[in-house]
Amino acid sequence: MKVAKFGGSSMATAAQLHKVASIIKDDPSRKIIVVSAPGKRFADDVKTTDLLIQLGESYINGEHYEEIYGKVLSRFREIIEELLLNTALLEDIENTLKDVLSKDISSIAKLDALKSIGEDSSAKILSAYLQAIGFEASYVNPKDAGIIVSNNPGNAQILDSSFTKIYALREKVGILVIPGFFGYTEDGELMTFSRGGSDITGSIVAAGVEATLYENFTDVDSVYAVNPTIVSNPKEIKTLTYKEMRELSYAGFSVFHDEALIPAFKKQIPVCIKNTNNPHLPGTNIVAEKKPEEKCVVGIASDTGFSSLYVSKYLMNREIGFGRKLLNILEDEGISFEHAPSGIDDLSVIIRDSKLSKAKEKNITKRIYEELHPDTVILHRDLAMIMVVGEGLMNTIGVAQKATTAIANANVNIEMINQGSSEVSMMFGIQAADLNRAVESLYHVFFD
């Protein structure tokens, strides 16, 4: 049994749903289908989920929301009419929208419920279309599928008790279409995962039913060794390990949400990334282990939007609890950190810019001076992180030398290096303005 997940680009139009149905028809083992909300139809289009968020925020803030409401319905109307489906389906979607908007619930709960309508409607439309063309197919609500989650609006986590319930889906007849992105608490409250959560749902369901393969259909032929907007026609990655994919996803690869594969990883379910528009191509396989002879460095990922909080104090290494106290200050301000490379007398904490407002920066700096009495506190903004990723990096001689030489040859200064904490990746911090030059140089050294 395979679980196939179709992303927003695959669900964006009626023409794309024709392709989805054809892919399902081509392989009878594709018994469970997980879907995203309709994505962009063209470059400047707006994703349905973003429209639903705009609708919720406008309604909650007492602003005019009628135009956005109309855009949401128009997206679904267009797909339903072109697929020649019963208009009662559109009425059902509109009634759901009205019900959520009028319901006396908290703003957070209302926004989560609205966001879920994109995926929920996609699943209802696809199941109806499959039925119309002769398949035995049914829509399965996440609650009925057994997707039970924690009570964390917008950031729900799957509960271990779910997997036994999800396994029961194997006994159901026909093709099952499940909306991604949301589940229900044990008390029956709807909760969404973080953005990209439909990938999480697909992975959860694949793990729960113990699928032979989890296929993730998107709009790229495979995962590439580097961002194609930085390097033209980069090489495709044919095989990745789970660890490599997680590192690449975290550091800017947009194919997967960085938490998406964890359920599949835990159950050792193989994953294949394929293109809905070119389903005959092999795609990229993600496995638990690679053959030893395969290339050490598989990809170079990068992302901008980081800051480095640098703290220096003579004999810091002898001061018990210094690092803990520093991180406690960040915790008190509600700031999570990404990395924390350190030396004998200094410590750097890498933070996402989005989590560090000017007001928080001022308060954190003040507290560090008052509570920890350092010699120096400096915040560097506008940093970029580059990850050179591959299983076996630690056991391959010369990789670090190649990487640092490549960055130097691009006339780029390295602000920070962090290698020892990971067997799978080597991280470099540089100025964001230098990112493209550094990545191009690294790609040519490792892949040309």
Side-chain angles (χ1 to χ4, degrees):
M1 176 186 288
K2 294 179 182 177
V3 171
K5 184 265 175 181
F6 292 91
S9 60
S10 304
M11 305 300 295
T13 64
Q16 289 298 93
L17 263 76
H18 284 301
K19 296 177 186 177
V20 170
S22 178
I23 290 167
I24 294 169
K25 181 181 179 182
D26 285 344
D27 189 344
S29 65
R30 291 176 178 132
K31 301 288 288 181
I32 300 180
I33 312 300
V34 176
V35 296
S36 294
K40 291 185 177 184
R41 297 161 292 186
F42 44 86
D44 296 328
D45 199 12
V46 180
K47 294 179 180 179
T48 306
T49 301
D50 290 327
L51 287 174
L52 288 163
I53 291 171
Q54 290 175 26
L55 172 62
E57 289 174 346
S58 296
Y59 186 90
I60 291 166
N61 294 330
E63 300 167 355
H64 291 293
Y65 64 90
E66 291 79 10
E67 183 180 352
I68 304 172
Y69 181 91
K71 287 180 180 178
V72 172
L73 279 182
S74 177
R75 288 297 303 272
F76 293 117
R77 180 184 295 109
E78 179 183 289
I79 296 171
I80 289 168
E81 288 180 352
E82 289 186 25
L83 292 176
L84 304 178
L85 298 176
N86 193 317
T87 55
L89 195 52
L90 183 64
E91 292 173 13
D92 176 64
I93 294 169
E94 184 168 16
N95 288 336
T96 302
L97 274 169
K98 289 178 178 176
D99 180 58
V100 172
L101 288 172
S102 63
K103 192 174 289 185
D104 185 18
I105 52 178
S106 70
S107 296
I108 294 174
K110 192 181 292 289
L111 198 55
D112 255 21
L114 282 169
K115 286 190 290 184
S116 74
I117 290 173
E119 275 74 11
D120 200 51
S121 301
S122 277
K124 290 175 179 176
I125 291 170
L126 179 59
S127 61
Y129 178 58
L130 291 173
Q131 291 167 16
I133 59 176
F135 285 95
E136 185 175 8
S138 57
Y139 157 84
V140 181
N141 183 273
K143 184 186 291 185
D144 299 324
I147 300 173
I148 311 302
V149 299
S150 62
N151 192 341
N152 300 100
N155 193 31
Q157 304 293 315
I158 192 69
L159 300 185
D160 288 341
S161 58
S162 296
F163 292 103
T164 303
K165 297 173 182 176
I166 293 169
Y167 188 80
L169 294 174
R170 296 178 66 97
E171 306 304 318
K172 291 185 177 289
V173 177
I175 296 166
L176 310 180
V177 185
I178 304 171
F181 192 36
F182 70 101
Y184 289 83
T185 67
E186 292 176 319
D187 295 328
E189 305 251 358
L190 187 152
M191 297 283 156
T192 63
F193 297 115
S194 54
R195 285 301 291 264
S198 292
D199 288 330
I200 298 174
T201 302
S203 182
I204 287 167
V205 173
V209 300
E210 298 180 10
T212 55
L213 180 67
Y214 168 37
E215 296 178 307
N216 192 292
F217 284 88
T218 178
D219 57 359
V220 294
D221 291 338
S222 67
V223 177
Y224 295 102
V226 71
N227 187 336
T229 65
I230 297 177
V231 176
S232 299
N233 301 313
K235 293 184 178 179
E236 297 180 357
I237 305 174
K238 298 301 182 186
T239 306
L240 282 168
T241 65
Y242 295 118
K243 288 182 180 179
E244 289 170 340
M245 188 69 225
R246 178 152 162 73
E247 293 280 354
L248 290 170
S249 298
Y250 162 75
F253 270 48
S254 59
V255 174
F256 270 122
H257 184 286
D258 67 320
E259 297 175 10
L261 289 184
I262 292 174
F265 166 70
K266 287 181 177 178
K267 285 290 184 83
Q268 302 284 287
I269 308 294
V271 180
C272 186
I273 299 170
K274 295 176 75 71
N275 191 346
T276 300
N277 303 310
N278 293 311
H280 60 284
L281 296 178
T284 296
N285 292 298
I286 305 171
V287 296
E289 295 181 358
K290 286 193 305 185
K291 296 175 184 176
E293 66 270 16
E294 291 186 49
K295 195 174 180 71
C296 170
V297 175
V298 297
I300 300 164
S302 56
D303 203 3
T304 56
F306 292 93
S307 293
S308 172
L309 177 65
Y310 173 79
V311 182
S312 174
K313 185 177 183 181
Y314 183 59
L315 297 180
M316 179 192 293
N317 65 314
R318 296 188 186 179
E319 190 170 330
I320 297 172
F322 188 94
R324 174 183 56 78
K325 292 172 186 175
L326 175 59
L327 295 180
N328 278 346
I329 292 172
L330 296 178
E331 182 182 355
D332 290 344
E333 295 295 326
I335 296 173
S336 61
F337 73 98
E338 306 293 319
H339 307 276
S342 63
I344 296 175
D345 295 325
D346 47 38
L347 174 65
S348 293
V349 183
I350 309 303
I351 303 166
R352 293 270 182 183
D353 284 341
S354 58
K355 300 183 182 296
L356 191 61
S357 65
K358 289 290 185 183
K360 285 189 175 183
E361 175 189 340
K362 184 177 179 181
N363 196 37
I364 287 168
T365 303
K366 181 173 178 288
R367 284 192 59 187
I368 291 172
Y369 273 116
E370 289 177 351
E371 298 173 29
L372 301 180
H373 313 292
D375 300 322
T376 308
V377 178
I378 303 173
L379 187 82
H380 297 282
R381 288 189 178 268
D382 299 320
L383 293 181
M385 295 295 150
I386 299 174
M387 303 275 271
V388 177
V389 177
E391 291 268 13
L393 275 179
M394 296 290 285
N395 300 320
T396 305
I397 296 170
V399 177
Q401 184 268 332
K402 276 187 178 181
T404 53
T405 300
I407 295 172
N409 288 343
N411 198 28
V412 173
N413 184 52
I414 299 173
E415 306 278 339
M416 184 196 66
I417 300 176
N418 191 11
Q419 180 185 3
S421 59
S422 173
E423 297 180 356
V424 187
S425 66
M426 187 183 306
M427 186 184 71
F428 300 92
I430 63 171
Q431 289 296 312
D434 298 329
L435 179 63
N436 285 14
R437 292 205 317 278
V439 170
E440 286 172 357
S441 186
L442 284 164
Y443 179 81
H444 292 310
V445 165
F446 287 110
F447 292 97
D448 277 352

